[in-house]
Amino acid sequence: MPAPAPPPPARLSPPPQRAAQVPRDAIAGRVAAAASVKLVLVRAPAGFGKTTAMRQTRERLEAQGTATAWFTLERADNDVSRFLAGLGAAVAQLGLEAPPPGAPLAVMDTLARSEAPFALFLDDLELIQEPAVLGLLREVVEHLPRRGQLVVGSRSLPDLGLGRLRARGQLLEIDAALLRFSLAETAEFFRLRAAPALPADTLHRLHDKTEGWITALWLMAMALERRGAVDDLVERFSGTHRDVADYLAEDVLAHQPAPLREFLLRTSILRQLDAPVCQALLPRTDCGAMLRQLEAANLFVTPVDGDADGRYRYHSLFADFLRNQLAREQPEQVARLHLAASGWYEAQQRPVPAIDHAIEGGDHPHALHLLAQHAETFLEQGRMRLLDRWFATLPADKVRERPLLQVVAVWAQCFTHGPWQAMQRLEASGCAASDDPAVQAHVNALTPLLLAMMDRHQEAADAGRASLARLPSCRPFADSVLSNAMAHVVSVMGQQHEAHRLLDAARRSQSGSTFNRMYTESMEGLFDLKEGRLRQATARFRIAVSATPHAASYTHTNGNAWAGVLYAGVVYEANALDAAEHLLNVYLPLARDVGLPDHMIASHRMRARIAFQRGDVDVAFVLLTELEYLGHERQLPRVVASAKLERARMLLLQGHGHAAREELARADDPALWERVRRLHLAAHEVDDLLIGRLRWDIHFGDARAALPALDAALAEALAANRQHRALKLRLLLALARQRSGDAAGASAALAELLQPASREGFVRLILDEGPAVAPLLQRLRSVAQHGASEGRRADDPILADYLDRLLTQYGSAVLAEEAEAPAGALPAEAPTEPLTGKELRVLQLLAEGYSNSAMAEKLFVSDSTVRTHLRSINQKLGAHSRTQAVAIARRMGLMR
């Protein structure tokens, strides 16, 4: 399928100025003077002149030499792929390097690398509700360079992390109070409109009654041009903004010629106006001429694509009024007009607006008739959100009369609201008893798929084997999904050979379905990762997540959440934390909504680890609390236990041994972990209760006693060809031998791990075990360097470079270990001067992994105050680094 087309030119520039407009110099000047601000939010209800103020601000910035770009958003931009295509087109206006094909998220990196000043304008942001798109915008703001700025216009408060930006002084807010016209601006507005001269007292009363609301003033000016009783008109209206708008719109409409008034009312049902579709509603009217007349008169219409013979839309307030007026004056015409529009779109082979208008016109039988013709096509395209919206609107009893539509509704509900609701709908539908072969084909695939997504793998296996025996069916799409789903199920049950056979069958029955191609590549990537082939898994996940879906499809935004979380996982593993965070901002909300247990666990765990790594410790624990809550809410004990397990790991890394052991105990559900032990679940290949307990024993318990369990677990993993798990167990084995005093054995275990890990590029698998690994790596590198200096054969250059990269990542932890080597070099009794209470608190937060900025937020002080405390701590302890200060403090007994 084609990639999303770039937006039309008019969406990449502000609407054209229709007439002389009041200069908003104060607003433009305020933005131009706020060069250090990352986000400018222009927020007010409809009709306050947000777009005009933004356009004038843009002109002001361009006059100062700042590069600018504009992107007007629409509801369809809630699709991630479509949004990124539009954002990329806007960024291209800045003269920056275009992102490479197939890497749409690179547009944010392009912005982040810019050294020249720029401002990116996004208008109508209130239309964006999709958490994934808002997450991307948060990323854009967070990573803007020093001279970059985002200016957004919105009717509502967007979820862009405004509180944090406000606290940092990186947010400028232009609200309705600032957008209202002053009395002087109101006078200038009427002067520019060449309206009848208003006495000063009348102008003052008008300004007071409209409160400077620009749309009300604009409508009043239009009314005054057609009526002479100025004082009477000003006196007769009062009340809320909506009351004012309705009153003035009604007055303006009443004074239009009858043909124009009829045109306005009848075409109000259309989201966009062009001559042919308008002609279908008013066959005896020259609709092209009427649209040009409206545009020339500046009467409520705005060109959509800048072409006078193209498409238009009504001003949103006036469109609402016209639709309400049509319903009041001609209620019998509303349905007829919608059906005429539906018929025209149907004849043009545009089923989406045809179905929309049939539904809005109340002709549900015709909407169902159209949907029945196209539903399976939309399904194969992965347009699940669109389908779910329609099924939520159509009468449930009418849908139940069409079993094929019922099963399509189950598919849509599964991938938008999760498998539990979908299974309830499937069981209540009675479709399992249908004698329609097409319906049976879909039920055949849905049953095992839903059971697997609900974490009921044994039931899924039993149902799936019965379903496989019925293949092939008359629906290749369903057959391919079934084969893919069963490949996943049998893989989880350890039957790798059978899983590969099923994937081959899925490929043979894909019949061009983007959704199924994505699913198959994702499954193959999971198998590669399990068997230790990280590079091949990365390539497969990249292919799956970069599939070119329909511009408005579910596939990239939700269907590809299946592949997207997996791709984020391998990007994280390669230690590309920024890129992984970008991906998770897109896919974590979608994984949460759909509710796949392994994807929920993996995405939240990665986000928490990234936050922890950056010193945002509180954020990390909040993410785990959210994961635990989701598990309780959806009755998924494995999700709850996984949140506790990861919390225990973080507590362990902070040095809180007792708290970590308690959290492990809370995560212990014997029946649950026994089931996990038997299955090969993606979220637990290298993170399960056994590994959590062994990790604790190594750090705080009896490391020597953990060795037999580690050896047994490693042998079991190798026997099942679970190479990824084997790598993690080898690392823990090396740490256990090191803590047991077996340095040679530790080095041998580590060497066995590093050879395959270096070839495949595993990084976080090692770094996530914390600084305890650093001395082992340092010793191995030292041995290699010493051997080379004595003339022995140099080590594998790939391995040598890999060791260097790992040690670079550990950085100060390695230096601290080296500094601790001569024990006499560290003070052993007391600091030169007692630490203050605040310094002890800073030291404790430092030991727990908090960054300077996170400590500042937690202690309600500035970053510079935190730096002052750290300098004082180092001086009193005789330390030269943060890590060394913690080590010295622990040796002195100043902290746990």
Side-chain angles (χ1 to χ4, degrees):
M1 287 189 262
R11 291 183 60 209
L12 297 175
S13 60
Q17 184 169 312
R18 311 302 300 161
Q21 293 180 332
V22 176
R24 310 308 308 273
D25 294 336
I27 292 173
R30 186 180 290 233
V31 176
S36 62
V37 164
K38 282 189 171 186
L39 177 66
V40 178
L41 174 60
V42 184
R43 181 178 68 91
F48 273 83
K50 296 184 293 295
T51 300
T52 298
M54 290 170 64
R55 179 176 58 237
Q56 293 185 14
T57 299
R58 184 190 187 200
E59 293 167 356
R60 175 79 166 264
L61 292 174
E62 287 182 334
Q64 294 178 192
T66 298
T68 70
W70 186 282
F71 182 26
T72 300
L73 298 161
E74 58 184 32
R75 282 190 173 83
D77 294 316
N78 281 288
D79 178 85
V80 172
S81 57
R82 184 181 177 115
F83 169 77
L84 288 171
L87 185 65
V91 168
Q93 295 180 320
L94 297 171
L96 304 180
E97 177 186 355
L105 294 176
V107 68
M108 290 181 286
D109 297 325
T110 299
L111 287 172
R113 289 196 302 269
S114 175
E115 297 180 358
F118 70 84
L120 176 60
F121 289 75
L122 301 181
D123 200 9
D124 294 338
L125 185 62
E126 73 279 355
L127 298 176
I128 301 302
Q129 302 295 323
E130 175 57 57
V133 176
L134 292 171
L136 284 172
L137 280 176
R138 284 194 297 273
E139 281 295 293
V140 170
V141 174
E142 187 67 26
H143 294 91
L144 281 173
R146 183 175 59 88
R147 304 173 75 184
Q149 198 169 68
L150 184 67
V151 183
V152 301
S154 177
R155 297 183 188 179
S156 57
L157 276 174
D159 183 12
L160 295 180
L162 300 181
R164 192 162 187 162
L165 291 169
R166 194 179 290 116
R168 293 174 176 174
Q170 296 174 337
L171 173 66
L172 174 63
E173 296 175 86
I174 308 293
D175 59 11
L178 290 170
L179 287 165
R180 296 178 193 278
F181 274 175
S182 65
L183 180 60
E185 287 173 325
T186 299
E188 177 66 6
F189 172 78
F190 280 98
R191 186 189 71 78
L192 291 172
R193 291 282 304 189
L198 298 178
D201 63 331
T202 302
L203 182 68
H204 200 285
R205 281 186 293 125
L206 178 60
H207 179 265
D208 285 346
K209 287 201 171 188
T210 60
E211 298 179 344
W213 185 34
I214 298 168
T215 288
L217 291 168
W218 176 58
L219 289 166
M220 176 62 78
M222 295 179 67
L224 290 174
E225 290 170 5
R226 293 166 175 81
R227 297 178 56 174
V230 174
D231 287 340
D232 177 62
L233 188 60
V234 171
E235 287 297 330
R236 279 174 49 205
F237 77 89
S238 62
T240 66
H241 288 158
R242 176 62 65 177
D243 293 335
V244 172
D246 285 355
Y247 171 78
L248 292 173
E250 186 170 0
D251 184 88
V252 171
L253 186 65
H255 289 81
Q256 301 306 319
L260 181 55
R261 189 178 188 280
E262 188 72 359
F263 179 89
L264 291 170
L265 288 174
R266 293 194 171 214
T267 57
S268 65
I269 68 157
L270 300 171
R271 291 175 179 82
Q272 292 185 350
L273 314 174
D274 59 48
V277 68
C278 291
Q279 206 70 54
L281 306 186
L282 295 109
R284 289 189 290 274
T285 301
D286 185 347
C287 293
M290 193 70 76
L291 287 169
R292 290 190 292 274
Q293 177 185 341
L294 288 171
E295 183 189 12
N298 190 27
L299 191 62
F300 305 115
V301 296
T302 301
V304 172
D305 56 11
D307 184 348
D309 295 319
R311 293 176 297 148
Y312 302 81
R313 65 174 178 84
Y314 287 120
H315 185 283
S316 57
L317 280 176
F318 194 55
D320 289 345
F321 167 77
L322 288 174
R323 283 191 287 269
N324 291 333
Q325 195 71 12
L326 176 67
R328 284 194 297 268
E329 293 184 14
Q330 305 176 34
E332 75 287 351
Q333 292 295 323
V334 174
R336 190 192 69 79
L337 291 167
H338 275 296
L339 292 181
S342 177
W344 186 85
Y345 283 119
E346 182 182 357
Q348 300 301 311
Q349 297 184 346
R350 294 174 61 183
V352 174
I355 294 170
D356 280 335
H357 279 289
I359 291 173
E360 291 178 57
D363 191 347
H364 295 139
H366 188 59
L368 288 164
H369 171 72
L370 291 172
L371 187 51
Q373 295 178 39
H374 299 282
E376 289 186 283
T377 299
F378 291 140
L379 179 62
E380 292 190 24
Q381 292 172 351
R383 303 180 73 175
M384 307 297 187
R385 283 195 182 277
L386 177 67
L387 288 166
D388 185 67
R389 173 169 65 82
W390 283 332
F391 286 121
T393 304
L394 290 163
D397 58 328
K398 298 298 182 185
V399 176
R400 278 195 294 270
E401 293 173 2
R402 295 173 175 262
L404 185 59
L405 288 184
Q406 272 281 60
V407 289
V408 173
V410 173
W411 284 107
Q413 197 159 36
C414 171
F415 287 100
T416 53
H417 302 290
W420 291 269
Q421 290 187 34
M423 180 62 86
Q424 289 174 2
R425 182 165 193 154
L426 179 61
E427 290 173 344
S429 70
C431 289
S434 172
D435 56 4
D436 183 337
V439 174
Q440 278 297 320
H442 286 293
V443 173
N444 205 43
L446 276 165
T447 303
L449 173 69
L450 294 174
L451 288 168
M453 292 175 69
M454 294 163 70
D455 225 18
R456 294 159 58 180
H457 291 94
Q458 185 58 59
E459 294 171 76
D462 295 341
R465 290 190 183 100
S467 294
L468 288 170
R470 303 185 190 104
L471 296 187
S473 77
C474 61
R475 289 296 186 270
F477 170 84
D479 294 355
S480 183
V481 172
L482 173 61
S483 296
N484 274 312
M486 283 303 294
H488 168 68
V489 170
V490 300
S491 170
V492 163
M493 303 186 79
Q495 301 167 21
Q496 294 298 106
H497 179 75
E498 177 66 7
H500 283 291
R501 187 190 68 77
L502 286 165
L503 285 182
D504 289 339
R507 286 193 182 88
R508 289 193 297 270
S509 58
Q510 277 172 4
S511 69
S513 167
T514 300
F515 181 86
N516 274 320
R517 287 200 303 274
M518 173 276 300
Y519 199 169
T520 303
E521 288 297 332
S522 298
M523 288 305 308
E524 288 280 19
L526 275 174
F527 298 162
D528 288 330
L529 185 59
K530 182 189 298 185
E531 295 170 13
R533 297 186 295 273
L534 177 62
R535 296 188 188 281
Q536 192 163 317
T538 301
R540 290 192 188 278
F541 294 148
R542 186 186 296 115
I543 290 170
V545 85
S546 299
T548 53
H550 189 280
S553 79
Y554 162 100
T555 308
H556 187 82
T557 55
N558 270 39
N560 258 18
W562 180 276
V565 171
L566 299 175
Y567 183 47
V570 294
V571 171
Y572 172 83
E573 180 58 49
N575 203 35
L577 300 187
D578 286 344
E581 188 175 33
H582 286 327
L583 290 163
L584 288 169
N585 277 334
V586 177
Y587 296 114
L588 184 146
L590 305 170
R592 180 180 58 220
D593 290 347
V594 175
L596 300 169
D598 288 278
H599 285 58
M600 288 168 59
I601 294 167
S603 56
H604 282 80
R605 185 168 60 205
M606 280 187 282
R607 278 291 299 272
R609 289 185 180 185
I610 290 170
F612 190 86
Q613 171 70 16
R614 291 176 173 167
D616 291 332
V617 179
D618 290 343
V619 172
F621 282 110
V622 165
L623 285 162
L624 295 179
T625 300
E626 177 185 312
L627 178 62
E628 185 175 354
Y629 169 78
L630 285 170
H632 284 300
E633 180 186 43
R634 299 180 186 183
Q635 299 181 353
L636 289 169
R638 184 159 66 93
V639 173
V640 175
S642 295
K644 295 174 180 177
L645 190 63
E646 181 62 18
R647 191 180 293 119
R649 190 192 73 88
M650 289 184 180
L651 289 167
L652 179 147
L653 291 176
Q654 289 181 317
H656 301 316
H658 179 70
R661 182 172 59 186
E662 288 186 339
E663 199 65 26
L664 282 171
R666 282 192 284 270
D668 189 3
D669 179 337
L672 166 68
W673 291 110
E674 174 57 25
R675 184 169 69 89
V676 170
R677 189 192 69 78
R678 294 195 310 269
L679 303 176
H680 299 184
L681 297 163
H684 302 297
E685 275 297 294
V686 295
D687 289 284
D688 60 11
L689 185 65
L690 173 64
I691 285 176
R693 282 176 167 168
L694 291 171
R695 183 184 288 123
W696 191 92
D697 287 340
I698 291 166
H699 286 268
F700 296 105
D702 186 345
R704 189 181 301 277
L707 290 171
L710 280 164
D711 287 332
L714 177 59
E716 184 179 351
L718 291 172
N721 198 26
R722 298 171 72 179
Q723 299 296 334
H724 187 195
R725 183 175 178 84
L727 292 175
K728 174 63 77 173
L729 290 167
R730 288 191 195 280
L731 180 59
L732 294 176
L733 183 62
L735 286 170
R737 288 176 177 174
Q738 169 73 11
R739 290 296 173 101
S740 302
D742 182 5
S747 294
L750 189 64
E752 281 189 84
L753 155 72
L754 293 179
Q755 284 290 347
S758 64
R759 289 194 302 270
E760 292 295 332
F762 286 97
V763 178
R764 293 310 313 181
L765 179 133
I766 294 171
L767 297 181
D768 283 348
E769 289 306 316
V773 182
L776 290 171
L777 296 171
Q778 181 66 45
R779 184 184 307 122
L780 206 61
R781 185 175 69 171
S782 298
V783 168
Q785 289 175 338
H786 180 68
S789 68
E790 293 182 353
R792 294 197 294 270
R793 184 178 62 83
D795 273 353
D796 179 353
I798 295 177
L799 178 58
D801 176 69
Y802 179 65
L803 275 171
D804 287 341
R805 285 190 290 117
L806 289 174
L807 287 167
T808 299
Q809 290 298 319
Y810 277 115
S812 61
V814 176
L815 297 176
E817 290 287 347
E818 291 175 335
E820 285 187 75
L826 290 174
E829 297 179 0
T832 58
E833 183 181 339
L835 270 64
T836 67
K838 185 61 68 90
E839 287 168 348
L840 286 170
R841 179 65 175 141
V842 168
L843 194 59
Q844 185 64 44
L845 293 174
L846 189 64
E848 292 178 358
Y850 284 82
S851 66
N852 284 10
S853 59
M855 283 191 277
E857 288 187 18
K858 199 167 185 70
L859 299 174
F860 302 102
V861 298
S862 66
D863 282 6
S864 61
T865 300
V866 171
R867 289 194 295 271
T868 299
H869 285 314
L870 291 173
R871 283 195 296 271
S872 177
I873 290 168
N874 284 341
Q875 184 177 4
K876 291 177 180 180
L877 296 181
H880 302 289
S881 70
R882 298 158 62 97
T883 311
Q884 194 177 18
V886 171
I888 293 170
R890 282 188 171 137
R891 179 169 296 194
M892 290 180 173
L894 297 176
M895 57 186 297
R896 290 175 293 171

